[in-house]
Amino acid sequence: MIKLADCKQGYIIDGDNGEEIAQEAGLVSDYTEIDPSMTFTYAGYRWWDSAFYDSSKTYISGFRNDAYADTIDEYDASHGTLTPARIPSNAKYIRITTYVILIEDNGLSLIRTA
């Protein structure tokens, strides 16, 4: 699970290149290790991008949090599932972006579920 203490406030991820962009209301996770053969659930602000990186932390691809959302609530927070079919096979890390105001209600999480 991603710990809020390990997140960087005031930034979001650019889904086109995996770089940080200054955004006052943003909150982005650190590089979080994943296994692309496993299934994860996540929660985060639905309109902001997240990204996958390889073992050297080089950007592979990005995605909008709402692209894989299973549900989207009234606060525009999404709760989705990342399955092996959605994770690049060479992914070693992920970074997820959310909106600072939504932390109390929705948190920022990435949890292995299978």
Side-chain angles (χ1 to χ4, degrees), residues 5-66:
D6 296 331
C7 293
K8 189 172 185 179
Q9 190 168 341
Y11 292 89
I12 61 173
I13 292 295
D14 183 330
D16 293 328
N17 60 25
E19 295 179 9
E20 294 178 355
I21 301 171
Q23 170 56 259
E24 183 178 340
L27 185 75
V28 65
S29 71
D30 195 3
Y31 292 90
T32 303
E33 192 170 339
I34 61 170
D35 179 334
S37 67
M38 297 178 183
T39 298
F40 300 88
T41 59
Y42 75 90
Y45 189 67
R46 76 176 183 133
W47 295 113
W48 287 357
D49 294 337
S50 296
F52 296 108
Y53 304 83
D54 67 13
S55 60
S56 64
K57 298 182 179 174
T58 300
Y59 171 80
I60 299 170
S61 63
F63 65 95
R64 285 231 161 163
N65 291 348
D66 63 337

